[in-house]
Amino acid sequence: MAQPAPHQVTSAEDIVLELTEAVHEHRVSPGMKLREDEVGDIFGVSRTVVRQALRSMAHTGLVSIERNRGAFVARPSVREAREVFEARALLEPKTARAAAERAGPRDILLLEEHIRQEHAALARDEAGPALKLSGEFHCEIARIADQHTIETFIRQLISQSSLVIALYWRRRNALCESHAHHALLDAFRSQDGDSAEELMKGHLLDLVSQLDLRDQQADTTSLREALLK
Amino acid sequence: MAQPAPHQVTSAEDIVLELTEAVHEHRVSPGMKLREDEVGDIFGVSRTVVRQALRSMAHTGLVSIERNRGAFVARPSVREAREVFEARALLEPKTARAAAERAGPRDILLLEEHIRQEHAALARDEAGPALKLSGEFHCEIARIADQHTIETFIRQLISQSSLVIALYWRRRNALCESHAHHALLDAFRSQDGDSAEELMKGHLLDLVSQLDLRDQQADTTSLREALLK
DNA sequence: GAGGCGTAAATTGTATACGATCTGAGAAAT
DNA sequence: ATTTCTCAGATCGTATACAATTTACGCCTC
């Protein structure tokens, strides 16, 4: 039953990383139950450590914990989905500006390599990994801006965006993405903060426009939530 | 030894609230050690629950946990202090705009009452409670803007600001604060988003300008950090 | 067959136990 | 006197044990 761990992990942080990657790659879906024993068996640790990891992920909004009922991969509501992208709209454009103005040759190379990997994943038709890479591109920009606090927030928002996309994405093509990332890279090359800020703003609007965020309360699991919340 | 809890608490979240309030009111100082069984004795719960609370607070940046060494009230570096206010500068002005445009009579009354309490605390010369209230004013604005995700971020930043102020505040007078809050309230009354945004921007710049953020690496505890980080 | 009801199994919440690591005081060496 | 070493006490990290709660299945009633 308990098949050996992906690679033997020891700490709670390792479990967070494994589970987070699984969410980002859409290998686990919103709403999926995360039983403590089960996760513990998979990674070869006791529930103590699993609980740490799950609570940690609850903090970043990837997991929602319901008392006495357990942990589930979060299911952002339409409203939460909107809020995530509104928060991104406040943080990311200005961060892209700062990053563009600071970016060194080393950063440009990293971003180029990153975009190459995105293309490669898409070429191989691996939607999950492509999506994860696409998110990491945004995190990378925050890192270049050298704003650790903001980077933490953006990471969190990217994570939640991954759930939002799983729930509300219209088409299956993520092709538009790479164009936007390419354009950003150009702005970085010429250290053009203005362009970077505008491009990021537009990119985020583009993403939202591809979502289907009409109110759709009724759902399999949401009855309980509708009555209790 | 173990004197009865402030009020008997049961859950980890209660401990988080108690400790957070203590930090906001500057009853505990940055760097203070938080031993697990000491905290457990105070609140009458086992280490299991205390650890949950401490890890939760580590996530919001109020506590820093060093493996095998324990939890401490966080000591933001000068750099982190700057980053906190740069993040606030990205989030709060636009949030104040949105709040001003949405604010209803009910919200105005709440803010008025809030400012009254701030004054009262200052009049009684209770610097701690006054500071806490001052922070809550900002949180209240985020709440009025009705952006839960952003509110969470702002709460976190306010918490950390509390630590920053404890470490880097120049004067002891927090008088300027209430003027700024009053001006914001006026903007809210007239639903003037533009003013609210500008006032908040200025208010934050004002706050930073009152901090002493010169590099001052050398410190009692920072030697370890300097070598390990 | 549909809908409650009750009890047993499953699952989470909390406390305790035990091993690992760190801290600090005192002795020995330079 | 200073430094280094040693060892006991203190503290943290993880696993396990037990209590509280929820879930699920069978049973009864209609």
Side-chain angles (χ1 to χ4, degrees), chain A residues 76-84 168 215, chain B residues 145-149:
Chain A
S77 65
V78 170
R79 162 138 192 241
E80 287 164 332
R82 276 191 229 279
E83 286 191 352
V84 165
Y168 304 114
D215 287 327
Chain B
D146 200 32
Q147 288 277 346
H148 190 268
T149 303

Side-chain angles (χ1 to χ4, degrees), chain B residues 76-95:
Chain B
S77 65
V78 169
R79 161 134 192 242
E80 286 164 332
R82 276 192 229 278
E83 287 191 352
V84 165
F85 279 92
E86 280 164 29
R88 290 183 66 173
L90 290 194
L91 292 176
E92 294 203 61
K94 285 260 171 53
T95 301

Side-chain angles (χ1 to χ4, degrees), chain B residues 3-180:
Chain B
Q3 105 179 18
H7 20 293
Q8 190 63 5
V9 299
T10 54
S11 72
E13 200 50 40
D14 292 334
I15 298 180
V16 171
L17 291 176
E18 290 282 342
L19 285 180
T20 300
E21 184 174 49
V23 171
H24 284 175
E25 292 189 355
H26 286 191
R27 300 201 308 271
V28 302
S29 305
M32 181 178 287
K33 169 116 204 217
L34 302 167
R35 283 198 311 107
E36 293 175 356
D37 36 18
E38 189 176 354
V39 177
D41 285 348
I42 291 171
F43 291 111
V45 292
S46 81
R47 281 177 53 217
T48 309
V49 181
V50 174
R51 283 174 66 81
Q52 264 183 54
L54 292 176
R55 295 197 91 86
S56 174
M57 292 178 74
H59 252 285
T60 67
L62 268 188
V63 158
S64 94
I65 292 178
E66 302 178 25
R67 185 178 171 91
N68 283 323
R69 287 198 4 96
F72 306 82
V73 179
R75 273 180 131 277
S77 65
V78 169
R79 161 134 192 242
E80 286 164 332
R82 276 192 229 278
E83 287 191 352
V84 165
F85 279 92
E86 280 164 29
R88 290 183 66 173
L90 290 194
L91 292 176
E92 294 203 61
K94 285 260 171 53
T95 301
R97 167 189 288 272
E101 289 165 358
R102 288 182 49 92
R106 192 122 179 50
D107 299 317
I108 305 287
L109 282 173
L110 267 164
L111 289 178
E112 280 170 352
E113 172 58 20
H114 203 105
I115 289 182
R116 248 193 301 282
Q117 288 195 337
E118 283 187 59
H119 275 123
L122 279 174
R124 267 175 279 140
D125 215 30
E126 301 175 350
L131 189 70
K132 187 192 71 169
L133 286 164
S134 170
E136 281 172 359
F137 185 82
H138 289 250
C139 295
E140 197 60 22
I141 288 176
R143 191 193 56 72
I144 292 171
D146 200 32
Q147 288 277 346
H148 190 268
T149 303
I150 291 171
E151 186 184 342
T152 306
F153 290 156
I154 290 180
R155 272 187 195 288
Q156 195 167 322
L157 292 168
I158 302 283
S159 280
Q160 290 183 264
S161 298
S162 191
L163 295 172
V164 168
I165 288 168
L167 287 169
Y168 304 115
W169 194 252
R170 279 212 197 102
R171 306 159 241 230
R172 288 287 153 247
N173 66 333
L175 292 177
C176 46
E177 289 274 329
S178 44
H179 276 289

